[in-house]
Amino acid sequence: MTDADNTATDRADEGDEQAPPGIDVRTPSPARIYDVFLGGKDNYAADRAAAQIAVEAGPDIPRAARENRAFLGRAVRFAVESGIRQFIDLGTGLPTQGNVHEVAQSLDPDARVVYVDNDPIVLAHARALLPPSRTTTVIQADFREPAAILDHPRTRSLIDLEQPVAVLMLAVLHFADDEQVRASIAAFREAMAPGSLLIVSHSTTEGHPETGDEAAGAWRNASARLQSRTQKEVEALFDGFDLLDPGVVWVPQWRPDPGADEGTRWMYAGVARRP
C-alpha cells in the first residue's frame, strides 16, 4: 500500500458515517468521487479522501469535471438541433444541474431519456429526484453489458431503435479495459439507426505527463480503477462512426461557447455520427 493509499484510508476513517442499506461507503465510488469534484453533497469520507489525492496532483481537476458537464450540455443541444429526440446516458452519475433530460427537454419537452448506471446509490438518488414521467427513466445496469440495456423493458418503452438516438458515454469508458470498451461500443453501434450520435468524453494523463499517474491514483482503491487513454486511442473508439468536427479534442475545446478559454487538459471529447 502506498503513502497515498494510507492517507486515503486514514481520511476515510474520520467520522462515523452511517451507510444506507446496501451501500458500501468504505470503498470510494467513481460516481461519488465525481460528485465531490462538482461540489455535491452525495458523497462520503472515503470518496472525499480519494478526490483529495487527485486534487493534490491536479488542482484543476474539479474544473475539468465542470467542463465535462458543460460539454454534456453543448453535445445534447447539438443532438437536438440535429433532429435527435431520444438519448441513452450510460454511466449517468449522481444527479446534478444540467442533466441530459433538462437540457434536451428545454428544447423539446417530448425528448426521451434513459439513464443507466450500475451504482445503487446513483439509482436511489435518481429515482428519488426524477418525478414519474412518460419521457424519462433510470435503470440499473452496466455499460459493459449492452444487451441488458438495449433489451430492458424501460429502454424499449422509451427508445425506438429504428430512429436516431444519441448514446452518451461521458467519463465512463476509462473504467473498463480495451476489450470491454470495444465490445460495448460495437454493440451499441450495431443497434443504432443511421444518423445516431455517439458522444464520448474520456480521461487522459497526456496533458499532464508528470502528475497524471499520481492523479489517477485517486481511483486505485475505488470500486473501479481509472485507465488513461491517449488521443489516438480515444479516436479509435469511434471506429465505424463518422467523427464530426473538430474531432477528438480537449473537452472545453469541443465547439466551445463564445468567449471560452482553452480550459484544462484532463479529458478528451468527441462526437460521431452513425453512417
Side-chain angles (χ1 to χ4, degrees), residues 91-92 116-123 139-144 223-224:
T92 298
V116 183
D117 206 290
N118 66 352
D119 188 331
I121 199 168
V122 170
L123 276 294
I139 62 176
Q140 183 170 357
D142 194 307
F143 79 92
R144 292 167 290 193
S223 56

Side-chain angles (χ1 to χ4, degrees), residues 4 6 22 29 32 65 106 131 156 193 228 258:
N6 285 323
S29 154
R32 299 194 307 258
S106 70
R156 290 294 186 179
S228 170

Side-chain angles (χ1 to χ4, degrees), residues 5-20:
D5 294 333
N6 285 323
T7 300
T9 301
D10 292 343
R11 289 171 179 165
D13 286 336
E14 295 176 3
D16 182 19
E17 295 177 283
Q18 182 65 41

Side-chain angles (χ1 to χ4, degrees), residues 14 21 30 32 65 67 87 95 121 126 130 158 162 171 175 179 182 186 217-218 225 227 230 243 245 268:
E14 295 176 3
R32 299 194 307 258
E67 290 171 345
F87 300 81
I121 199 168
L130 285 174
L158 285 183
E162 297 297 319
F175 294 118
E179 182 177 353
R182 286 194 297 267
R225 293 191 177 189
Q227 178 173 332
T230 66
L243 191 59
D245 288 338
Y268 288 123

Side-chain angles (χ1 to χ4, degrees), residues 78-181:
F78 171 78
V80 175
E81 291 166 358
S82 299
I84 291 177
R85 296 296 183 271
Q86 46 185 9
F87 300 81
I88 301 176
D89 183 14
L90 304 173
T92 298
L94 287 157
T96 186
Q97 291 183 341
N99 292 301
V100 175
H101 75 283
E102 293 174 326
V103 177
Q105 292 170 7
S106 70
L107 300 172
D108 186 338
D110 292 326
R112 302 181 302 281
V113 180
V114 174
Y115 289 113
V116 183
D117 206 290
N118 66 352
D119 188 331
I121 199 168
V122 170
L123 276 294
H125 281 277
R127 287 170 177 162
L129 292 174
L130 285 174
S133 171
R134 63 179 179 82
T135 59
T136 307
T137 192
V138 56
I139 62 176
Q140 183 170 357
D142 194 307
F143 79 92
R144 292 167 290 193
E145 299 176 353
I149 298 168
L150 293 166
D151 295 335
H152 196 286
R154 291 185 181 176
T155 303
R156 290 294 186 179
S157 69
L158 285 183
I159 304 298
D160 178 4
L161 292 173
E162 297 297 319
Q163 300 297 321
V165 58
V167 175
L168 293 89
M169 299 182 171
L170 301 189
V172 67
L173 296 177
H174 47 234
F175 294 118
D177 63 33
D178 292 345
E179 182 177 353
Q180 292 170 328
V181 169

